[in-house]
Amino acid sequence: MGGIKVDTRGLKKYMKDLEKAAKKISGEKSFDEIFTPSFMKRYTNFSNFDELLEAGDFVINSQEDFENIPDNEFDEHIRATTQFSSWQKMLDKASDLYAQKAFSKL
């Protein structure tokens, strides 16, 4: 009785491409990578993430400075200047779009 012969080269290439895309989105990313100019123009009143911070009078020189912004103040600024009701919702949307873009190239 003969078996079915399956060519797995296409599957192997797809798996390799999938692994590459997963590596690309893993790890820490800068705000500039996640909040692209097209994202900022579409969902906010700004061209880039730095403009959003400047408009809120947030002076950020380090990760610690950013983390020390009071959540309620930043959420209020996000509500007033973007299409999002909170910083977390904005971050989630940008992260989802970043991942979709990485995997759409498969």
Side-chain angles (χ1 to χ4, degrees):
M1 181 175 226
I4 298 173
K5 187 172 182 173
V6 177
D7 183 358
T8 60
R9 288 178 291 192
L11 181 58
K12 286 179 183 176
K13 182 184 179 325
Y14 178 76
M15 293 302 290
K16 188 177 242 182
D17 291 344
L18 188 61
E19 187 178 335
K20 269 191 210 176
K23 283 182 182 177
K24 181 179 178 183
I25 66 169
S26 67
E28 291 188 21
K29 302 294 174 213
S30 72
F31 285 144
D32 289 337
E33 288 177 281
I34 296 171
F35 298 105
T36 63
S38 61
F39 176 90
M40 296 300 292
K41 289 175 187 169
R42 180 173 182 182
Y43 295 105
T44 78
N45 298 334
F46 309 102
S47 298
N48 59 55
F49 195 74
D50 288 339
E51 286 180 7
L52 177 132
L53 294 172
E54 290 169 12
D57 292 327
F58 301 110
V59 178
I60 307 298
N61 294 311
S62 67
Q63 180 67 30
E64 185 178 357
D65 288 346
F66 183 77
E67 290 171 3
N68 287 331
I69 298 172
D71 291 344
N72 61 331
E73 283 182 36
F74 202 51
D75 281 344
E76 186 178 318
H77 180 59
I78 296 299
R79 270 190 302 279
T81 60
T82 76
Q83 295 181 23
F84 301 97
S85 60
S86 71
W87 162 240
Q88 189 61 55
K89 290 192 184 302
M90 181 175 168
L91 180 59
D92 289 348
K93 180 68 172 182
S95 299
D96 287 348
L97 291 173
Y98 181 82
Q100 286 175 12
K101 185 176 180 183
F103 284 101
S104 71
K105 296 177 182 175
L106 295 179

